[in-house]
Amino acid sequence: MGVIFEPFKIKMVEPIPLTTREERERRIAEAGFNPFQLPASAITFDLLTDSGTAAMSAEQWAAMLVADESYAGSRSFEKFAAVVRRLTGFRHVIPAHQGRAAERILFACAAKAGQRVPNNCHFDTTRANLEYLGVVAEDLVIAEGRDPASLHPFKGDVDLARLERFLDQHRGLVPFGMCTITNNSGGGQPVSLANLRAQSALFRRHGIPFFLDACRFAENAWFIREREPGQQGRSVAAIAQECFALADGCTMSGKKDALVNMGGLLALNDDDLAARCRQLLILTEGFPTYGGCAARDLEAYAVGLEEGLDERYLEYRAATTRYLAHGLNRAGIPTVQPPGGHAVFIDARALLPHLPPEQLPGQSLVVALYVEGGVRACEIGSVMFGKRGADGGFVPAALELVRLALPRRCYTQSHVDRVIEIAASVAARKESLTGFAMVERPQYLPHFTARFRPLAPARAFAPADRTGRGRDPPRC
Ligand code: F0G
């Protein structure tokens, strides 16, 4: 097969900021060693997230111009709802300004304190929105999903035996089940159709509604076609439709596979629950035919839902992720295997074995990637998911990952090549990387605003931190 190339040409460009190493050392120290606190003007390769960072197509921009901004009953909503219904089959389509707004509305209407919601892995916002209500968020991914080196093709699958035990044990306490496609927290790994079918059957047998957290539904369907026996002859759209048909509803951030910069939705079949969700929507998001979005956002979302299922685009997208992962692996950087859909996840614990989890190896790597070449990555490890145990001690996350997320249709192959070079330079001096301590930790979603300091003297860091202070564990 020849080179799999970008199936688009570039019509509009944006310059990339270039900075010096000295500038980056100063900037990251000022940001409390938290890349979320850096201004984008100081970033060369922004791989923080694939969320809301897509380049929109000419078709999407054109659709925005014909949007009907009527407060109630806009034509744009009708168009959007028709596309969502055709894809998902769900009766009620409720727009929201992004995924977490849809989650908050669904959870507030369907769950209450003391209940438990299973998932393969809850992403940070789903977990936080449930815990905020006093609901226990339970992760039941298969064991291979927690092993970065495992080559299992569907590491997002739920452990069905554990799910069955969970449902028996907590009978009457499970308001609904969820499954995240693809499984972001577990490395962007897909869930197989066979597993979704089995989960669906299990939830139906227990009379429990089943919701998909569906923001990467198209990449998940692509992997099903690529990897699952018997699925090769089908269209990716037909596979996606079958996934939705197995559930009773979904929450979706449109900022991922639907290729929009803002937008989300809740879709479901239950008339009564939908009516309650719409009431809450009116209170906090807006009227049910715009739900926190401008009509032009809904127009772009409707077009993006279909473009996101384009098979040439999905082939190129998966090839880019694979190319980045293989480049890193060749430089001796271990990544979660096999490469997932939207991102490459570096196994920071394996790369930096001299840093124990309480010294936050993922954060150390994130800082080094920035200082080395202006790459902004995201820690998905003990900063995001570490906890304080019952005895007040630090409980690390299951994995210490660093995510290099690929914005959709933004960067070219030479950008990816440069990112690989930068990561390889960091890997070549990995023994010199120091640990970090968290010095400020907010209660919810700590990774966004936490501040850190390096644990040992390091030439790259601010003078105040050269004293060797701070060998204490992070305050989690
Ligand atoms: N569910 C999953 C699996 C997600 O990855 C995200 C967002 C959300 C829900 C929430 O959607 O941002 O529109 O409110 N993930 C982004 C990320 C932030 O960087 O992975 P949102």
Side-chain angles (χ1 to χ4, degrees):
M1 201 201 310
V3 170
I4 299 170
F5 54 88
E6 290 83 352
F8 50 81
K9 57 184 182 171
I10 296 163
K11 185 178 267 196
M12 202 184 281
V13 296
E14 180 183 322
I16 284 181
L18 298 172
T19 52
T20 62
R21 177 180 284 262
E22 289 67 34
E23 210 175 324
R24 294 192 293 273
E25 287 173 354
R26 179 175 55 77
R27 292 280 199 166
I28 195 73
E30 283 168 6
F33 300 95
N34 184 347
F36 276 100
Q37 297 298 315
L38 286 169
S41 57
I43 311 291
T44 303
F45 301 103
D46 205 346
L47 309 187
L48 187 66
T49 178
D50 65 320
S51 180
T53 50
M56 291 213 301
S57 67
E59 290 285 329
Q60 287 177 293
W61 284 110
M64 290 176 82
L65 288 178
V66 296
D68 167 14
E69 299 291 349
S70 302
Y71 188 95
S74 105
R75 283 192 311 277
S76 300
F77 172 73
E78 294 302 326
K79 195 157 132 192
F80 169 72
V83 171
V84 177
R85 279 193 201 105
R86 199 160 56 238
L87 170 65
T88 67
F90 299 131
R91 247 193 324 275
H92 301 283
V93 178
I94 300 177
H97 79 274
Q98 62 184 98
R100 68 199 71 183
E103 289 159 16
R104 192 189 68 81
I105 286 167
L106 172 67
F107 299 169
C109 293
K112 54 180 190 285
Q115 293 185 321
R116 289 169 180 268
V117 173
N119 204 327
N120 43 2
C121 292
H122 290 273
F123 191 62
D124 57 359
T125 59
T126 47
R127 172 173 294 280
N129 271 306
L130 286 168
E131 289 178 352
Y132 183 71
L133 293 171
V135 179
V136 179
E138 197 88 35
D139 290 346
L140 299 177
V141 73
I142 54 171
E144 292 89 336
R146 297 190 189 280
D147 172 5
S150 161
L151 288 169
H152 191 291
F154 291 103
K155 288 166 77 173
D157 280 0
V158 160
D159 183 329
L160 296 166
R162 278 181 73 200
L163 178 61
E164 187 144 26
R165 275 200 305 279
F166 176 88
L167 296 180
D168 284 337
Q169 199 179 343
H170 302 292
R171 213 167 269 277
L173 282 177
V174 182
F176 54 86
M178 291 195 83
C179 186
T180 308
I181 55 172
T182 57
N183 186 22
N184 189 0
S185 318
Q189 298 292 325
V191 182
S192 66
L193 194 51
N195 192 261
L196 286 172
R197 286 176 180 151
Q199 286 188 63
S200 172
L202 203 52
F203 283 120
R204 289 206 171 138
R205 206 163 65 237
H206 281 79
I208 294 171
F210 177 35
F211 282 81
L212 296 177
D213 179 350
C215 52
R216 298 183 182 88
F217 70 96
E219 291 173 5
N220 200 82
W222 169 264
F223 282 122
I224 288 174
R225 197 181 68 177
E226 290 295 289
R227 298 181 184 172
E228 191 158 347
Q231 298 302 318
Q232 283 65 42
R234 302 179 70 188
S235 75
V236 177
I239 294 171
Q241 281 168 328
E242 184 179 342
C243 295
F244 285 112
L246 292 166
D248 300 290
C250 72
T251 55
M252 185 196 291
S253 165
K255 299 168 69 174
K256 284 83 170 173
D257 280 0
L259 297 159
V260 289
N261 304 122
M262 190 52 72
L265 66 87
L266 166 62
L268 69 169
N269 284 333
D270 182 323
D271 298 338
D272 176 56
L273 180 57
R276 283 185 285 123
C277 289
R278 285 202 180 91
Q279 287 305 311
L280 187 56
L281 186 86
I282 292 172
L283 224 63
T284 59
E285 286 278 299
F287 193 74
T289 58
Y290 71 85
C293 299
R296 53 182 171 270
D297 297 331
L298 298 181
E299 290 275 354
Y301 198 162
V303 175
L305 278 169
E306 291 183 338
E307 287 184 358
L309 282 165
D310 179 287
E311 297 183 3
R312 279 190 61 209
Y313 154 75
L314 285 167
E315 179 187 39
Y316 133 81
R317 174 118 179 111
T320 309
T321 313
R322 217 167 39 233
Y323 180 80
L324 173 57
H326 290 166
L328 295 173
N329 297 159
R330 270 198 305 276
I333 301 169
T335 57
V336 172
Q337 299 294 341
H342 65 295
V344 172
F345 291 70
I346 298 175
D347 183 349
R349 191 181 288 175
L351 181 69
L352 305 174
H354 63 291
L355 299 180
E358 60 272 21
Q359 292 193 14
L360 309 175
Q363 196 63 23
S364 174
L365 181 58
V366 157
V367 170
L369 287 169
Y370 177 69
V371 170
E372 192 68 32
V375 175
R376 177 152 69 171
C378 180
E379 196 267 9
I380 300 194
S382 289
V383 172
M384 197 180 267
F385 295 119
K387 281 201 166 17
R388 200 189 278 283
D391 63 354
F394 171 65
V395 181
L399 300 173
E400 302 296 337
L401 302 179
V402 166
R403 185 179 75 170
L404 301 177
L406 290 160
R408 292 168 180 79
R409 305 191 293 207
C410 270
Y411 292 115
T412 63
Q413 184 172 342
S414 56
H415 292 127
V416 176
D417 283 329
R418 179 67 191 131
V419 169
I420 293 168
E421 276 178 6
I422 292 164
S425 304
V426 170
R429 61 174 178 87
K430 61 184 182 181
E431 289 80 12
S432 70
L433 267 55
T434 61
F436 277 80
M438 207 184 284
V439 291
E440 278 173 34
R441 186 182 197 277
Q443 188 182 359
Y444 295 106
L445 304 176
H447 50 290
F448 291 133
T449 51
R451 294 183 72 83
F452 304 87
R453 67 182 158 80
L455 282 177
R459 196 195 57 77
F461 304 135
D465 293 303
R466 289 185 188 162
T467 57
R469 279 184 293 121
R471 295 188 186 279
D472 44 329
R475 288 197 223 149
C476 287

